[in-house]
C-alpha cells in the first residue's frame, strides 16, 4: 500500500500551495485513494476519498475543500452533488464525461488507469469534469493523452516502470508531461513527490 506525501505548487509562479498526505491501494473493486491536504501553515485544507472499479471508472468520489463538499460517481456519464459551506444549498450536476479531475495527483493516476494506454496506442481524447479550488466549481475539460515512453529502472525491490504521458488541453492547446510509476505520480505540473514509504502498486492492465 503506497503511502506518502506530495507537495503542491502554483503552476505559474511556483508558490507553495501545501502538501497532500496520501495512501492508496488496489482493492476488491479496483483501486482506492485517500488523502488529506494541508496549507503551508499546516492548516487543514481538504480531503479526497476516491474509489475506482476494475475498469478505472469512478464508482465513489468524496471531495472536500475547506467547507465545500462534492460527492460523485460514474452514472450516465458522471453525476455529482455539490454542497455549500452552510449545508443549505445542494446543487446536482451531470455531464456526458468519462471521469473526474481536480488538483489532487490522484486524478492523474485515475485517468491513466481508465485509459490503459500502451506505447503503441494512438493519442486518446477524454472528457473530464474538474473541480477547481477553493469552492469546487465544476468545469468540463477535453484532453488528449498519449503514452510516449515507458522505461524500467532498477531498484532494491525490483524493476520500477516509469510511464511518461503527454497531456494536452484541447481548449487551450497547453501541453505538459506527467510521469507515473504504477499508482504514484512522480512528477507533473504543480506536483512533486516528496516522500514515499513503500513501492507503488503496479498499473492496471
Amino acid at each position: 500500500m503506497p503511502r506518502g506525501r506530495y507537495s503542491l505548487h502554483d503552476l505559474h509562479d511556483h508558490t507553495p500551495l501545501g502538501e497532500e498526505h496520501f495512501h492508496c491501494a488496489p482493492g476488491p473493486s479496483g483501486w482506492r485513494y485517500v488523502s488529506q491536504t494541508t496549507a503551508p501553515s499546516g492548516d487543514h485544507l481538504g480531503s479526497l476519498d476516491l474509489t475506482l472499479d476494475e475498469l478505472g471508472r469512478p464508482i465513489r468520489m468524496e471531495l472536500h475543500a475547506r467547507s465545500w463538499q462534492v460527492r460523485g460517481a460514474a452514472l450516465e456519464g458522471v453525476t455529482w452533488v455539490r454542497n455549500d459551506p452552510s449545508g443549505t444549498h445542494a446543487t446536482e450536476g451531470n455531464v456526458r464525461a468519462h471521469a473526474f479531475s481536480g488538483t489532487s495527483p490522484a486524478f492523474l493516476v485515475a485517468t491513466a488507469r481508465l485509459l490503459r494506454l500502451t506505447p503503441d496506442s494512438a493519442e486518446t481524447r477524454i472528457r473530464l469534469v474538474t473541480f477547481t479550488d477553493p469552492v469546487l466549481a465544476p468545469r468540463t475539460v477535453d484532453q488528449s493523452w498519449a503514452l510516449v515512453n515507458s522505461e524500467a529502472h532498477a531498484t532494491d525491490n525490483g524493476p520500477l516502470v516509469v510511464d511518461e504521458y503527454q497531456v494536452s488541453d484541447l481548449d487551450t492547446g497547453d501541453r505538459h508531461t506527467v510521469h507515473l510509476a504504477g499508482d504514484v505520480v512522480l512528477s507533473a505540473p504543480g506536483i512533486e513527490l516528496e516522500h514515499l514509504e513503500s513501492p507503488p502498486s503496479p498499473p492496471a492492465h
Side-chain angles (χ1 to χ4, degrees):
M1 177 188 292
R3 182 185 299 269
R5 183 180 79 253
Y6 294 109
S7 61
L8 308 177
H9 307 269
D10 185 273
L11 291 176
H12 304 291
D13 60 13
H14 305 293
T15 300
L17 299 178
E19 293 185 331
E20 183 161 322
H21 300 256
F22 73 95
H23 63 270
C24 57
S29 61
W31 183 71
R32 188 179 181 196
Y33 179 100
V34 177
S35 68
Q36 300 284 333
T37 307
T38 57
S41 63
D43 292 342
H44 177 75
L45 287 180
S47 63
L48 172 64
D49 189 341
L50 174 67
T51 301
L52 309 180
D53 68 10
E54 67 277 3
L55 298 179
R57 297 171 299 193
I59 56 176
R60 178 179 179 272
M61 182 200 67
E62 186 166 325
L63 179 62
H64 294 259
R66 302 192 186 274
S67 298
W68 292 85
Q69 173 186 283
V70 172
R71 292 183 178 180
L75 182 65
E76 298 179 352
V78 293
T79 300
W80 67 92
V81 176
R82 175 173 170 262
N83 287 291
D84 70 342
S86 69
T88 57
H89 299 288
T91 306
E92 296 184 8
N94 172 264
V95 171
R96 290 287 180 181
H98 301 92
F100 297 112
S101 185
T103 57
S104 172
F107 292 114
L108 297 174
V109 177
T111 301
R113 292 179 76 89
L114 179 66
L115 293 176
R116 285 176 163 77
L117 298 177
T118 69
D120 298 326
S121 300
E123 199 168 2
T124 302
R125 293 184 59 153
I126 187 168
R127 173 163 287 184
L128 304 169
V129 173
T130 185
F131 295 97
T132 55
D133 293 333
V135 297
L136 302 183
R139 183 169 61 92
T140 303
V141 297
D142 291 300
Q143 295 179 343
S144 69
W145 281 58
L147 177 57
V148 297
N149 190 36
S150 187
E151 189 173 344
H153 298 264
T155 71
D156 293 340
N157 298 303
L160 179 69
V161 177
V162 177
D163 292 326
E164 179 184 342
Y165 293 89
Q166 190 168 80
V167 181
S168 301
D169 186 315
L170 298 179
D171 294 326
T172 65
D174 289 343
R175 182 169 291 190
H176 58 270
T177 301
V178 173
H179 289 93
L180 302 182
D183 56 357
V184 171
V185 178
L186 300 182
S187 65
I191 299 167
E192 293 292 339
L193 179 65
E194 299 290 349
H195 177 68
L196 187 65
E197 292 183 9
S198 54
S201 304
H205 296 291

